[in-house]
Amino acid sequence: MPSFLLYSDWLTALGGGERYLYAIADAVGNEGEVTIAGPELPDGERMQRLGFSSAYRVREIGRPSLPSETAAYDVFVHLTTRLPMRSAAGRSVAIVQFPADNAGAVRCWRHPRGRLRSGRPRLALSGYEFIVYSDFVRGWLRRRWHVDAEVLTPPLLLNGDQPSLDELLPQKHPQILSVGRFFGDGRMKRQGVLIEAYRRLPAGTRRGWRLVLAGSVGADGRSRVLIESLRSSAEGLDVRFALDQPPWALEALFCSSSIYWHAAGFGRPSWRPDRAEHFGMATVEAMSRAAAPVVFPDGGQREIVTPGVGRTWYSVEQLVELTSAFTEDPALLAAYQRRAYDASSAYSLAIFQSRARALLAPGLGAASSQ
């Protein structure tokens, strides 16, 4: 029975990357022994509240000791944005959320950009296979680290089976939802931009429609300051903050929301592609619950919200205009809700698990489907 070590550089974040890692654990767990690890361990009560499985052994392994620890495992999977650590496992796979722009930026090696082609940084990549969330990230991995990768898009991980459209549409309220982590200075998910867009909606729309901003909150002080700043900017508006929601509550928000907003990447400098949405699983989750997506078309969002599936915007004014068209025309909104729902089927958990087994444990995917 093969042994797997799944390692996240930021396990305590318990964000989308960690959900992805746990989904991989579920995909290979029946056919091997899985250990999940990170340099620090998250609070167990918070893990349970956010719906993370307790079925796997969880270890604290510091980065300095990680190379020697990998020797005890058949497969080492490293979720990272930095150059992966050297590995002594039978197979080594790096899931690169987004590649750091040079060796110095990863705080692992300190060579100029051009030296990544050779020397110690190059050795750090040798022996690894690579997986990414999207073609967007794959392109930047080729450009920055000069390696190729397999694309394994994240799966739908909402509770239970996907409801039918006939079940979902009667649950819809005049509610706009956005889901994304609240962390740092807010320049990633851009919740502040969404509050401003909501403020600019016609007064009649604001009287009838609510904006809900949901997501996990970083444990650092800057994230808490961000939350207070956003609350202050939303004062006097019908804006609800749904923080660190358990899975059942997040599911209820997706099911009851009619429109989904996403602003990651808006206003980013061209030299900061890492601030684009690397994929955008929350958008797919909203689509699977028949919320019409209105998103900024950057990064992986372009691959999800294709023409006809949803609407894309390039300015706050355009976001307001497109949203108003939905709120004023129920038939138009319903048409896009149906299209979004149909498009989400490409991201089913079954498809992900089969693909993950094929990539990480060749032969298991075929054997499990027989």
Side-chain angles (χ1 to χ4, degrees), residues 37-107:
E40 297 179 60
L41 298 187
D43 175 72
E45 188 276 331
R46 183 167 179 256
M47 289 187 72
Q48 183 179 22
R49 186 173 72 252
L50 294 179
F52 284 84
S53 172
S54 60
Y56 305 107
R57 181 189 183 195
V58 180
R59 295 185 57 198
E60 182 175 315
I61 304 176
R63 284 178 61 88
S65 59
L66 186 58
S68 60
E69 292 281 356
T70 61
Y73 296 88
D74 297 303
V75 182
F76 172 54
V77 179
H78 191 177
L79 178 74
T80 187
T81 63
R82 304 180 285 187
L83 292 180
M85 300 296 288
R86 287 196 180 94
S87 171
R91 286 183 64 206
S92 304
V93 181
I95 300 172
V96 184
Q97 294 177 287
F98 196 86
D101 64 346
N102 57 42
V106 300
R107 300 178 184 175

Side-chain angles (χ1 to χ4, degrees), residues 83-84 86 102-111 120-122 124:
L83 292 180
R86 287 196 180 94
N102 57 42
V106 300
R107 300 178 184 175
C108 182
W109 312 111
R110 297 190 177 278
H111 290 283
R120 292 179 69 194
R122 189 73 238 174

Side-chain angles (χ1 to χ4, degrees), residues 305-317:
V305 184
T306 54
V309 169
R311 305 304 299 270
T312 56
W313 55 273
Y314 291 89
S315 67
V316 174
E317 292 77 15

Side-chain angles (χ1 to χ4, degrees), residues 127-147:
Y128 268 92
E129 304 162 54
F130 296 88
I131 291 174
V132 293
Y133 297 161
S134 63
D135 284 321
F136 169 70
V137 178
R138 185 186 189 192
W140 279 99
L141 188 71
R142 289 169 170 170
R143 177 174 175 176
R144 288 185 166 178
W145 292 5
H146 314 292
V147 296

Side-chain angles (χ1 to χ4, degrees), residues 323-344:
T323 302
S324 297
F326 279 154
T327 62
E328 295 167 6
D329 188 342
L332 178 66
L333 175 59
Y336 274 92
Q337 288 173 326
R338 290 184 174 89
R339 295 173 192 173
Y341 178 87
D342 290 342
S344 70

